[in-house]
Amino acid sequence: MRRDGGRRVTDQGDVARESLFEAWGLFAVAAVLVWAFFTGGGAFDRGLGDVIGQLLALPVIGWALFAQLGSFSGRPRIVALSVLSVVVLAVLVQQTPLPESLWRAIDVRDALANDLAIAGASDARYFWSLTPLASERGLWSMLPAIAVFLGALSMPRKHHLKLLLLVALLSATSLLLAFFQLGVPQDSILNPFPEWPARLNGFFANANHQSSGFAVSVIIIAAILFDRWRGTNESPAMSRWQSWTLAAIGLLMLASMPLAGSVAASLLAMLALMAIPALSLIERPWRHERPWVNHGAKFGLLVLATGLFVAAMNWMRSGVVHGDRGPVAIATAAMGNDHAPAGAGLGSFVSWFDQAGPEAFRQWEYYNHAHNEFAQWWLESGVVGAVALAAVLFLLVRHFPARRRVSDAGVAVAAWLGCVVLLLHSAVDYPLRTPALMSVGGLLLGIVVAQRSRRERKSGSVDAAMPGHDVDTPSYRTFNSALAQSGAPE
């Protein structure tokens, strides 16, 4: 890219680089997403499918980064890549070797070092993470999510709808597989996790994570259909049979969520469905000749949403209080305070909770997760993990789906609410520990950022698209053609 007077002019290499990813990047991102969904339904998988998915993600990451050079205006690209760097560094830093004096500065580590010395392991190596190998595996497991995140940032925004519909299709396929699983033996080839009896799991080891995928897919379908029903100018039209098919799939998944046994995912999906028209009212209120009708509609929707939210929180709280998830999360957060500021290391929860957890939780079965990702991230990643989480939340809040600034409001709202639901569900479960839902989350966050970013196609004629409009839209091409025919100076 070079400058000619006051204009930015694209070099031929920039055009070729962007055009190549625009033509084939969608298929590369879709391949990573599909593979992660089919093979990454477990939170403890370390099999061949995971390795293939990670190797498949590596070239897509490099290609997406290469394609982004010159594709976006500076600030959105820098902010998004900075947040991604913080998240990766929060895990990468755990592989750092530390001096023994610094390592033993934390009381629980000092006590552990004394135990190691008594056991004759005085030559132990001291790393930031207490489980460096598990932390390294956690870093590699992030590769598919990083690939789809960068891919969503790099491709034209017109492809985002296709990827969201692909997520819904993958969840529908998982539901179909789940119905077949109910009628076959436990060790059937149709059960990806034969060590567990099938319970409407589909591609997932845990039916709660299947419900997380359903919740995200229901939100995608509802937001897209609602926006098409409202008839925005930017939204591509859908035929009647396409709309009815999507609606039927969404209703089937919504009805199947209670069968999978996930109360939290069902409630969060209902809350998100209430939020879809609310977000639309914020940016584009329903017009009526009497203003009090508009204000009354907003107030009524707010009261209804608040009542549903309070009821949902009370329901969820009663389930947490009367179960062991609340006490386990509190104990995990307390152990995180003991390990602060470094954290115990990614993947250390099981071994450390078995060793240092309260006596009341010691039993013949072990706790595989805290079922509260915020508490577990605090235990495993410490202050750097908290900073990484804050950076992701900042990115999500900063790119709130304002209709006047997005290319496709339905897509933007679906992706933003999908991210919110996955984070909220992480407060009572661990959906983002699975490569499948981690990749879905990465895709949704990438779409959220890209939909609010001002994409620049640095052509010689027009410098940048208007905020909220992709340069590949028909209106933009019409404007460009009219400008050329008029003979107006560039």
Side-chain angles (χ1 to χ4, degrees), residues 189-470:
I189 192 175
L190 295 179
N191 186 5
F193 303 93
E195 64 272 22
W196 307 107
R199 190 169 63 91
L200 215 67
N201 293 27
F203 294 118
F204 295 91
N206 191 325
N208 290 333
H209 302 156
Q210 170 90 308
S211 296
S212 294
F214 290 164
V216 171
S217 299
V218 167
I219 293 167
I220 289 172
I221 292 173
I224 290 172
L225 291 181
F226 184 81
D227 194 59
R228 269 58 183 175
W229 173 69
R230 300 194 72 194
T232 60
N233 294 330
E234 300 91 347
S235 305
M238 274 188 180
S239 65
R240 180 170 297 182
W241 73 268
Q242 289 174 327
S243 300
W244 282 108
T245 301
L246 278 179
I249 293 174
L251 287 174
L252 182 60
M253 285 191 286
L254 185 63
S256 301
M257 290 170 66
L259 300 178
S262 177
V263 175
S266 303
L267 292 174
L268 289 173
M270 296 301 296
L271 289 172
L273 290 178
M274 291 293 301
I276 290 172
L279 290 179
S280 299
L281 281 175
I282 290 174
E283 293 301 325
R284 191 177 180 181
W286 291 328
R287 300 298 180 186
H288 194 276
E289 58 184 7
R290 298 179 180 178
W292 67 268
V293 175
N294 295 322
H295 296 307
K298 293 180 184 180
F299 179 75
L301 185 60
L302 178 62
V303 171
L304 184 60
T306 303
L308 182 59
F309 178 79
V310 171
M313 291 302 102
N314 287 335
W315 191 0
M316 290 178 63
R317 184 177 60 182
S318 64
V320 171
V321 169
H322 291 91
D324 60 354
R325 295 192 179 189
V328 168
I330 294 174
T332 302
M335 288 188 289
N337 294 336
D338 295 335
H339 281 276
L346 192 65
S348 63
F349 171 82
V350 172
S351 56
W352 191 260
F353 194 87
D354 272 354
Q355 172 181 331
E359 186 71 27
F361 297 124
R362 296 182 184 176
Q363 53 189 10
W364 71 275
E365 286 185 333
Y366 67 89
Y367 285 90
N368 59 348
H369 289 281
H371 288 78
N372 184 311
E373 282 298 283
F374 302 100
Q376 188 166 336
W377 287 335
W378 172 242
L379 167 64
E380 295 184 338
S381 302
V383 173
V384 292
V387 171
L389 176 61
V392 172
L393 294 177
F394 164 77
L395 194 66
L396 194 60
V397 173
R398 186 179 185 272
H399 294 88
F400 182 83
R403 176 179 294 274
R404 288 184 288 272
R405 298 181 183 179
V406 298
S407 175
D408 191 325
V411 168
V413 169
W416 193 84
L417 283 176
C419 289
V420 171
V421 165
L422 285 177
L423 286 173
L424 289 178
H425 198 200
S426 296
V428 292
D429 213 297
Y430 50 99
L432 294 178
R433 294 278 170 170
T434 65
L437 293 178
M438 191 194 310
S439 299
V440 171
L443 173 69
L444 296 177
L445 187 59
I447 291 176
V448 166
V449 176
Q451 283 288 321
R452 281 291 304 273
S453 300
R454 175 173 147 178
R455 184 178 174 92
E456 291 187 357
R457 187 67 170 275
K458 298 183 178 67
S459 59
S461 56
V462 178
D463 198 37
M466 295 295 292
H469 294 275
D470 202 329

Side-chain angles (χ1 to χ4, degrees), residues 151-166:
L153 284 177
S154 304
M155 67 178 56
R157 290 182 290 189
K158 63 183 179 182
H159 292 328
H160 292 163
L161 175 62
K162 302 173 186 176
L163 289 173
L164 290 183
L165 292 179
L166 176 60

